[in-house]
Amino acid sequence: MSTDSGPLSDEDSTMGDGVDLNGHANGIGNGSHLPMSDDEDMSLLQTVPPRRNLKRKKSNYAESSDEDDIPLASSPAKQPTSAAIPMPGAVAATTVPSSKASKSKRLGTKKEESDDDGYLKKPQKKKPRKKVKKEESSDDDIPIVAPKSSARKRKVKPESEAESSDEDKPIIKKTSARKTPAKKAKKEEDVEQPASKVNGKAKAREINDGEDEGKGKGKGKKKKKEEEQEEEVYRWWEADPNGDGSVKWQTLEHNGVIFPPPYESLPSHVKMKYNGKDVRLPPESEEVAGFYGALIESDHAKDTVFNKNFFNDWKEILKKHPPLDGTKITTFEKCDFRPMFDYFESEKAKKKALSASEKKELKKAKDDMELKYTTCLLDGRKEKVGNFRVEPPGLFRGRGEHPKKGSLKLRVRPEDITLNIGKDAPVPIPNMPGKWKSIQHDNTVTWLATWTENINQSHKYVFLAAGSSLKGQSDMMKFEKARELKNYVDRIRANYSGDLRSKVMAERQRATAMYFIDKLALRAGNEKGEDEADTVGCCSLRCEHVTLESPNFIIFDFLGKDSIRYYNRVAVDAQIFKNIRIFKENKEDDDSLFDRVTTASLNKHLNSEMKGLTAKVFRTYNASATFQRLLDESDLEGATLQEKLNAYNKANRLVAILCNHQRSVPKTHDQSMEKMRQKYKGLKYDRMKLRHGLFGMDSKYKKIDKYKEDESDIDDDWIVEYEEQMKSKEIEKAEKKFAKENEKLTEDDLKPQLDSVLEARIRHIEEEFKRLAKERGKTTVAVKGNKTPEKLMEGIDKLTERIKSFKLQMVDRDEGKEVALGTSKINYLDPRITASWCKIHDVPIEKLFSKTLQVKFPWAMEVDTEWKF
DNA sequence: TTGTTAACTTAGAACTTCCCTA
DNA sequence: TAGGGAAGTTCTAAGTTAACAA
């Protein structure tokens, strides 16, 4: 494989599932089985002890939480202060106190970590520090280990002071001067308290001119609205670029966010049970019990960590809001949430059973209530807001082995939320009691509201919708940056290919990491904390994640973003193979493979190769470039629409595989494939019947190539079975029709038909199928009605088309059962590739882009057929 | 210089709507 | 014309990155 050919093709790599890699056991020892190169017999590479993996102790959180109390209580700043907050229903119990500083958690962690000379306790405990061997190797092909200048947070072991003179310099030293935009200066001065500024709804209402139209007249109104919206599309991509991009807006008006409704207690007859007995819960603890009750049939409820975290948090709530009947809830296993679950299910069923008009009414009421939050005024233009609904309280559904999954996510109140709004804009009034935490006027950011979530202290933002000008601009810039890489990529590849043999360990590791990012589209792979799921990306790969297989295969097996497994057995260049062997030497499974590379250092280097280049840009570039190449390669001369769509989806699928975008196989996949197979055969049966009819008219047609060939995959047994099924269905249909006709007659006060009518119809069907049975095995049959050979031939040709197209659909569905196409389409494939391709091949864009995607990518729709990524 | 954090993008799961079939 | 499955949409978790702070 060449080093400059872009992402690996599927011949080079395989993505499979469930392959158990025995290689782990001898992963490190593997080296000894490999052909020795001339460097092998030299003295061992002197590596500074590599970083260790913090994650290995992943269960700590859940285990310790028993004694430490639940996460809720682990940080004093997070203690609920429900009593002080007057709120309806159980709101208080699930509410995060406004006082906490978002940093509290991190600071706490930091302190704990630095207790011990700056080293993390756990890894230290887990493994004795490695003996540092002397650097004496001068092997031509083994990189010198240039010491890191400081210990990394995660697992770089302390390096001796002597090592600190750094020979590990990047080829190009980048200036680190980063300009601070106007941002910071603004921020502080702009924060102010909301109350003073609240000048009422009247002004705020100006924002949503659509709102008051509510009383207008039905249909015409809707159409008019749509037209209006269309008119309003701001063609930002045709406007002059404004400045350096750091200022995002001049004026901004919006109505804030919409809070979920307060908790409503369950009807008095719905009670959870404890130890078999009903428990009377106050609303505060009932609400939290309900969060769990709704999930008892889901996989979450089968998860011990989830259950443990939920129960710990719930017990905290119960301490403050104990059962009204004095029940002491201490054992999770004695809790029975089934009555709650059943109630929720019945409510769902009731909702489902509403008539269409009732549903419509409810939806309209909701839409009307939300309308004013759905848009904002950005520089005087109306733009859609994205997630204007505040996340409701619930149980945290962390993915994979997240140690905090199941924890209680508290209700967010106005006091938690900072709004970002134009200086002269009216401050909106929250739709629940309370005052905003603060108001700021920072026009260098795009968010309208933010708050800090209580479980991981992560920041939540309200942004504009995907179709807004701000998001569109940023999207277009992303793809333009990726396209720019085209002009640099050859040089970059040449550079890293050279560095694969660098004498400096850091450079060699970096080059190897770049190779993976470039060829395999791996993510950068930041460090992760102990209180997160153990997932990795390129820079954070550990030795256990890569296995060498002679002569030149590397097997990757790790959990990536969202704990999705990345499994790939891939052929690599000899030098890569050798490097990985060297990087793994003297390390243990849970040591970092690239112990001298961080995402920051890697990106710094990338930026020196091309301004603005990061690991992420490579992923976008490779996805789009691959997609363009695959589309260009497919020969669609004379292809049908379905064939074109299939070619497109195939290219899309290959990119999705490259990016490892997976989905779980739909539960009904096998069943639906079987149905499709039956339908496919049915179509072939129909065509066979037409052919035989044609031959019955004139045997000369038997000589025409396209008609003479028999349907290969339908045999006699199948035909018997199929005809039987058809007969039953026909009879059933006739019975239903008969019943319906009679019903109608009765309604109209007419006499219903006699049963003999139905009997006659059934007899007719049976005779028809008897005739078919007689025809079995014959290739010439009589045709009913006044069909001409031309009509029959036309019918056969149409069926042939349908069969072909249907077959393609089947293949498409089966091949795509584990691959999520949407993620790459939404995020990685330059939409202009699709727009241009559609024009070239005369494919309507709506066949490939849903309405949402068309709204997201208006800027891409006008490219011409010459445009290439 | 390095760790932390704010701000943003990317991601699969969960939910809703649409459309086809029986 | 319901109901079942696929497609589309929403939700929010989980990444990346660069500015900021120590």
Side-chain angles (χ1 to χ4, degrees):
Chain A
M1 201 181 71
S2 119
T3 49
D4 52 12
S5 60
L8 296 166
S9 65
D10 36 336
E11 292 101 66
D12 294 329
S13 64
T14 53
M15 192 173 97
D17 52 358
V19 179
D20 185 25
L21 296 177
N22 301 321
H24 284 167
N26 56 5
I28 295 165
N30 261 354
S32 58
H33 304 298
L34 297 169
M36 288 278 190
S37 66
D38 44 3
D39 57 64
E40 300 254 352
D41 53 351
M42 305 219 175
S43 52
L44 281 172
L45 181 68
Q46 302 303 306
T47 58
V48 177
R51 289 175 288 167
R52 287 281 188 287
N53 171 34
L54 290 184
K55 330 267 16 179
R56 309 293 71 210
K57 299 274 182 178
K58 48 191 147 184
S59 59
N60 280 348
Y61 181 91
E63 274 158 23
S64 63
S65 57
D66 258 346
E67 301 137 50
D68 295 348
D69 264 338
I70 53 171
L72 191 77
S74 62
S75 156
K78 282 181 278 167
Q79 290 290 356
T81 53
S82 56
I85 309 147
M87 268 189 289
V91 168
T94 52
T95 298
V96 65
S98 60
S99 57
K100 91 274 120 206
S102 63
K103 295 175 177 117
S104 59
K105 178 69 203 294
R106 297 266 182 189
L107 293 175
T109 310
K110 192 179 163 196
K111 187 166 186 291
E112 191 185 327
E113 284 173 1
S114 58
D115 275 356
D116 193 8
D117 288 342
Y119 300 123
L120 298 163
K121 288 175 183 168
K122 272 164 192 151
Q124 249 197 348
K125 261 185 224 160
K126 183 169 190 269
K127 283 176 147 194
R129 195 196 291 191
K130 258 188 205 157
K131 286 129 247 151
V132 180
K133 291 189 186 167
K134 291 271 151 50
E135 265 191 45
E136 53 201 28
S137 162
S138 59
D139 176 9
D140 271 0
D141 197 35
I142 294 185
I144 298 162
V145 178
K148 278 264 159 190
S149 45
S150 83
R152 196 109 32 73
K153 166 184 143 204
R154 195 178 59 169
K155 60 197 86 121
V156 171
K157 292 225 170 173
E159 294 175 8
S160 66
E161 290 298 331
E163 284 178 326
S164 68
S165 83
D166 196 341
E167 28 184 316
D168 170 15
K169 35 203 171 285
I171 308 166
I172 304 160
K173 257 268 162 34
K174 264 230 48 213
T175 85
S176 63
R178 266 175 203 143
K179 239 346 316 111
T180 306
K183 203 174 195 163
K184 196 58 207 175
K186 271 190 142 294
K187 246 181 199 166
E188 248 129 60
E189 76 187 32
D190 285 345
V191 176
E192 60 186 46
Q193 279 311 306
S196 61
K197 268 243 161 170
V198 177
N199 53 2
K201 274 175 184 159
K203 227 176 159 190
R205 193 166 292 162
E206 290 169 19
I207 300 168
N208 55 93
D209 37 2
E211 185 188 29
D212 295 330
E213 287 167 20
K215 290 125 204 168
K217 39 241 140 218
K219 271 213 167 134
K221 184 197 92 186
K222 197 174 176 187
K223 206 172 176 192
K224 205 171 144 196
K225 228 192 238 169
E226 273 168 17
E227 277 166 14
E228 245 170 50
Q229 270 176 359
E230 246 160 63
E231 275 168 30
E232 279 169 20
V233 171
Y234 165 48
R235 301 171 66 82
W236 53 262
W237 55 97
E238 287 173 357
D240 286 335
N242 51 340
D244 64 352
S246 63
V247 171
K248 304 296 194 326
W249 48 267
Q250 297 303 326
T251 64
L252 174 63
E253 292 182 41
H254 61 84
N255 283 310
V257 292
I258 187 164
F259 292 91
Y263 179 68
E264 271 180 50
S265 294
L266 299 178
S268 56
H269 67 277
V270 182
K271 290 192 181 70
M272 65 159 296
K273 290 175 193 296
Y274 186 73
N275 215 5
K277 285 184 192 145
D278 284 356
V279 185
R280 274 178 61 217
L281 290 172
E284 290 83 355
S285 32
E286 182 189 76
E287 180 182 22
V288 181
F291 293 153
Y292 188 83
L295 297 176
I296 57 173
E297 293 271 292
S298 73
D299 286 345
H300 299 298
K302 294 178 190 124
D303 189 296
T304 38
V305 176
F306 191 94
N307 290 343
K308 191 166 195 167
N309 286 331
F310 153 70
F311 195 56
N312 283 338
D313 282 6
W314 188 44
K315 276 192 297 190
E316 284 301 307
I317 302 294
L318 284 167
K319 266 188 212 164
K320 297 188 192 86
H321 307 279
L324 303 170
D325 52 18
T327 310
K328 297 269 175 278
I329 296 178
T330 53
T331 311
F332 175 72
E333 286 68 27
K334 290 183 183 168
C335 298
D336 176 9
F337 300 93
R338 177 68 52 181
M340 290 178 147
F341 176 82
D342 291 342
Y343 173 73
F344 297 141
E345 287 296 297
S346 73
E347 287 299 291
K348 255 190 239 167
K350 265 191 215 163
K351 219 174 139 191
K352 211 178 153 192
L354 290 176
S355 72
S357 63
E358 285 170 316
K359 281 182 194 165
K360 215 171 149 188
E361 231 167 78
L362 283 175
K363 188 174 184 308
K364 189 176 178 308
K366 185 174 180 249
D367 287 349
D368 287 350
M369 196 255 292
E370 291 185 339
L371 182 63
K372 68 172 186 175
Y373 300 96
T374 60
T375 57
C376 68
L377 280 181
L378 186 90
D379 292 342
R381 292 181 314 268
K382 199 167 167 182
E383 298 250 15
K384 283 246 164 68
V385 181
N387 51 330
F388 54 86
R389 295 183 195 94
V390 168
E391 294 174 18
L395 301 181
F396 174 67
R397 285 132 123 124
R399 312 253 169 94
E401 293 307 303
H402 198 297
K404 294 187 179 177
K405 59 183 164 182
S407 303
L408 176 60
K409 199 168 87 164
L410 300 175
R411 186 176 288 265
V412 179
R413 305 162 310 150
E415 281 76 4
D416 304 315
I417 293 187
T418 296
L419 292 187
N420 191 37
I421 197 162
K423 264 199 161 114
D424 301 322
V427 174
I429 298 168
N431 75 321
M432 71 178 280
K435 284 180 183 170
W436 304 113
K437 179 180 177 184
S438 65
I439 304 292
Q440 67 169 55
H441 317 287
D442 182 355
N443 70 353
T444 67
V445 295
T446 66
W447 53 266
L448 311 186
T450 185
W451 71 92
T452 303
E453 158 261 19
N454 67 296
I455 293 169
N456 303 296
Q457 279 67 55
S458 74
H459 298 108
K460 303 281 187 165
Y461 296 90
V462 174
F463 291 113
L464 295 192
S468 64
S469 59
L470 284 179
K471 292 285 185 188
Q473 281 158 14
S474 139
D475 235 19
M476 191 170 100
M477 276 161 58
K478 171 183 79 182
F479 287 115
E480 280 304 297
K481 182 57 76 180
R483 283 180 87 206
E484 193 187 334
L485 178 53
K486 271 196 310 186
N487 308 322
Y488 294 81
V489 76
D490 289 341
R491 199 190 71 200
I492 293 170
R493 283 172 178 160
N495 286 349
Y496 77 61
S497 297
D499 282 349
L500 290 173
R501 294 180 170 79
S502 171
K503 291 281 190 303
V504 180
M505 177 62 101
E507 282 176 7
R508 193 184 287 212
Q509 286 192 1
R510 187 184 65 209
T512 311
M514 280 173 72
Y515 177 96
F516 290 155
I517 283 167
D518 183 21
K519 303 288 177 188
L520 302 174
L522 296 191
R523 295 187 186 85
N526 282 304
E527 301 288 333
K528 291 191 75 186
E530 263 184 295
D531 49 2
E532 297 172 281
D534 176 21
T535 63
V536 297
C538 186
C539 295
S540 50
L541 280 169
R542 300 192 295 267
C543 292
E544 63 194 309
H545 299 133
V546 290
T547 310
L548 294 166
E549 185 186 294
S550 292
N552 67 331
F553 285 97
I554 297 181
I555 297 163
F556 291 83
D557 195 355
F558 60 88
L559 296 182
K561 183 178 179 181
D562 291 312
S563 295
I564 295 291
R565 185 184 185 198
Y566 182 92
Y567 178 84
N568 201 356
R569 178 176 173 274
V570 58
V572 296
D573 294 348
Q575 188 61 40
I576 294 288
F577 189 86
K578 189 171 179 177
N579 283 358
I580 296 300
R581 199 188 66 230
I582 292 169
F583 303 158
K584 289 183 77 168
E585 264 167 18
N586 295 325
K587 288 186 191 167
E588 290 176 35
D589 275 358
D590 62 351
D591 287 336
S592 187
L593 181 70
F594 299 121
D595 55 310
R596 320 229 129 241
V597 184
T598 62
T599 53
S601 69
L602 179 77
N603 280 337
K604 194 175 167 191
H605 173 72
L606 290 175
N607 193 58
S608 75
E609 295 264 22
M610 179 188 115
K611 190 162 177 277
L613 182 62
T614 65
K616 190 162 91 76
V617 178
F618 261 99
R619 219 166 129 84
T620 313
Y621 163 76
N622 274 323
S624 281
T626 304
F627 188 56
Q628 180 80 69
R629 177 173 56 80
L630 290 170
L631 287 181
D632 289 349
E633 280 170 8
S634 54
D635 176 19
L636 295 174
E637 184 109 7
T640 62
L641 178 61
Q642 188 61 48
E643 283 166 338
K644 289 174 190 169
L645 295 177
N646 271 66
Y648 180 94
N649 284 337
K650 190 172 179 190
N652 190 167
R653 189 181 309 127
L654 289 172
V655 172
I657 290 170
L658 172 73
C659 296
N660 200 40
H661 293 146
Q662 296 187 23
R663 63 167 185 170
S664 41
V665 180
K667 279 172 191 152
T668 51
H669 177 77
D670 287 348
Q671 199 184 324
S672 98
M673 281 311 293
E674 183 50 33
K675 264 191 191 163
M676 284 183 102
R677 273 190 287 272
Q678 289 306 320
K679 188 182 167 187
Y680 177 69
K681 284 184 170 182
L683 289 172
K684 286 197 153 188
Y685 172 91
D686 293 345
R687 183 173 66 178
M688 179 190 78
K689 283 293 175 193
L690 288 184
R691 280 173 45 243
H692 292 174
L694 186 67
F695 301 160
M697 283 180 172
D698 191 329
S699 59
K700 73 176 181 191
Y701 294 110
K702 284 189 181 175
K703 289 181 188 132
I704 299 179
D705 273 359
K706 64 175 177 177
Y707 301 134
K708 70 180 178 195
E709 214 169 288
D710 255 345
E711 309 294 346
S712 53
D713 45 4
I714 58 179
D715 56 32
D716 294 347
D717 289 347
W718 183 84
I719 290 172
V720 173
E721 202 181 310
Y722 182 69
E723 287 179 353
E724 274 305 312
Q725 277 175 16
M726 298 275 285
K727 191 171 85 180
S728 309
K729 278 179 194 166
E730 288 287 315
I731 293 173
E732 202 181 316
K733 219 159 100 185
E735 287 169 343
K736 275 189 186 160
K737 196 176 167 210
F738 179 79
K740 213 164 187 185
E741 284 167 355
N742 274 357
E743 215 172 279
K744 180 96 186 7
L745 288 168
T746 319
E747 259 174 38
D748 298 345
D749 285 333
L750 296 168
K751 227 170 116 185
Q753 307 164 91
L754 295 172
D755 284 353
S756 57
V757 175
L758 175 63
E759 282 157 17
R761 287 179 191 175
I762 292 177
R763 247 194 329 275
H764 180 71
I765 292 169
E766 279 171 342
E767 274 159 21
E768 194 56 31
F769 277 91
K770 259 184 209 158
R771 186 179 62 79
L772 288 176
K774 273 189 197 155
E775 285 176 0
R776 283 175 203 154
K778 291 182 186 163
T779 55
T780 52
V781 301
V783 182
K784 291 199 308 175
N786 50 355
K787 295 245 168 67
T788 62
E790 287 70 32
K791 276 212 160 155
L792 286 183
M793 285 190 287
E794 198 187 312
I796 294 171
D797 291 346
K798 271 189 185 161
L799 269 174
T800 302
E801 273 311 307
R802 269 185 78 188
I803 289 167
K804 210 168 139 191
S805 154
F806 194 74
K807 172 90 184 178
L808 285 172
Q809 278 181 41
M810 282 168 66
V811 172
D812 215 34
R813 178 169 304 174
D814 198 44
E815 286 182 352
K817 65 182 177 226
E818 297 178 286
V819 185
L821 300 185
T823 310
S824 48
K825 216 187 238 185
I826 294 165
N827 300 300
Y828 289 103
L829 303 178
D830 190 321
R832 291 169 295 187
I833 302 174
T834 299
S836 165
W837 185 86
C838 279
K839 283 176 186 162
I840 295 169
H841 296 285
D842 202 22
V843 173
I845 191 83
E846 58 271 21
K847 293 273 174 198
L848 300 169
F849 279 179
S850 67
K851 209 184 91 206
T852 314
L853 280 185
Q854 290 174 56
V855 169
K856 183 178 176 188
F857 298 131
W859 55 272
M861 293 302 139
E862 288 151 32
V863 286
D864 58 36
T865 53
E866 302 302 305
W867 192 92
K868 292 282 177 206
F869 178 79

